[in-house]
Amino acid sequence: MSEQILNKVALCVVAHADDTEFGIAGTVANWVRDGWDVYYVICTDCSGGGPDDAEDLSPAARQRTVETRKLEQRAAAQILGVKDVIFLDYPDGLLQPTLELRREIVRLIRQYRPSRLVCQSPERSWAPTMIIPRYHPDHLAAGEAALAAAYPAAQNPWDFPELFEEGLKPHKVSEIYITAAPILNHYVDITETMDTKLEALRAHESQVGHNLEFLERMLRDGAGALGEPHGYTYAEAFHLTRNG
């Protein structure tokens, strides 16, 4: 087995604070228990997560939202044992899969040298019914940028040669876990970490505090439905692909 496969580092790239807790926190908790170093990359600045009925949209109000959501995300990550949370601070709600964003993700892949990359799907699933909140435009953009960063850019010295000149040598990610993908082919047993997932979600008080009971029931029901065909009480699902 290669040294890279043995490198127990995972990089999780998502659009917003709390995306990880809704989608992958049980799996992350499993990996941490198994001795993996997990890092979160949040692409946006978390500024678009204020109340839907807000009337104060001033810069000061937006800054309070940013500060609150970042604190909540760091608290959630601490509950799960995540090593660090990196915020790229692109405007929330306006994320695009630009070359600039791709370069920043490549930089982090080359810096942390993960064996596993987790990202959001760049495509919607329409079956059985398209779930609107799951496919926020920022989610799609973050997924597209992360996949383009993983291949070929992160492993190709000819892509972003300025990074090579900075000493950030190419790195090949071995496994890519894609959440909310149109085709799911990998189910992770999170029975033992479901409670930890929900505890981490509760840290996002500004987002879930008003509706926590409903959301916890929804997540348990969804994870139960994913796990049942595989003999798990609870599961999270991915499209898992291996790079070479």
Side-chain angles (χ1 to χ4, degrees):
M1 186 174 290
S2 72
E3 181 181 351
Q4 183 165 306
I5 292 293
L6 292 173
N7 183 29
K8 299 179 79 169
V9 177
L11 194 69
C12 304
V13 180
V14 297
H16 308 117
D18 80 22
D19 286 350
T20 46
E21 280 61 63
F22 275 104
I24 65 172
T27 300
V28 167
N30 280 352
W31 290 349
V32 170
R33 287 186 177 192
D34 290 341
W36 284 72
D37 291 342
V38 181
Y39 297 88
Y40 281 177
V41 179
I42 313 298
C43 293
T44 68
D45 62 2
C46 311
S47 63
D52 288 346
D53 59 355
E55 296 186 5
D56 180 4
L57 305 178
S58 66
R62 188 175 291 271
Q63 184 57 34
R64 287 194 297 271
T65 297
V66 169
E67 292 170 359
T68 297
R69 297 205 69 195
K70 286 186 176 182
L71 284 172
E72 290 173 344
Q73 181 60 85
R74 292 193 187 281
Q78 186 172 21
I79 289 167
L80 295 167
V82 170
K83 285 287 186 180
D84 198 8
V85 183
I86 300 107
F87 294 95
L88 299 184
D89 284 337
Y90 287 83
D92 195 339
L94 302 177
L95 194 67
Q96 295 293 317
T98 61
L99 284 175
E100 180 187 8
L101 175 58
R102 186 188 307 180
R103 181 189 297 109
E104 291 203 52
I105 299 171
V106 169
R107 179 186 294 279
L108 292 168
I109 291 173
R110 293 189 185 183
Q111 178 182 347
Y112 289 98
R113 309 186 78 75
S115 294
R116 291 175 178 168
L117 175 73
V118 186
C119 68
Q120 293 162 305
S121 174
E123 298 181 14
R124 295 174 175 86
S125 175
W126 298 91
T129 303
M130 196 268 283
I131 300 173
I132 293 284
R134 186 175 293 171
Y135 299 105
H136 189 296
D138 287 354
H139 297 179
L140 304 176
E144 184 173 343
L147 287 173
Y151 182 85
Q155 66 190 59
N156 183 6
W158 300 96
D159 284 1
F160 306 120
E162 65 273 20
L163 299 181
F164 190 92
E165 292 167 5
E166 292 174 16
L168 294 173
K169 300 300 176 64
H171 175 73
K172 183 176 181 178
V173 176
S174 300
E175 299 177 338
I176 301 175
Y177 289 70
I178 304 168
T179 68
I183 297 175
L184 301 170
N185 63 4
H186 185 72
Y187 297 82
V188 176
D189 183 359
I190 63 164
T191 304
E192 294 186 0
T193 55
M194 185 68 194
D195 288 344
T196 306
K197 172 188 176 81
L198 295 178
E199 183 184 356
L201 181 67
R202 292 183 202 114
H204 297 278
E205 171 68 22
S206 69
Q207 305 302 300
V208 305
H210 63 291
N211 207 18
L212 186 59
E213 184 177 346
F214 168 77
L215 290 173
E216 289 194 0
R217 185 169 63 251
M218 179 190 74
L219 288 174
R220 284 192 185 277
D221 289 347
L226 289 172
E228 184 177 9
H230 307 279
Y232 307 147
T233 303
Y234 298 115
E236 288 173 342
F238 303 87
H239 185 92
L240 171 60
T241 184
R242 292 176 172 83
N243 185 14

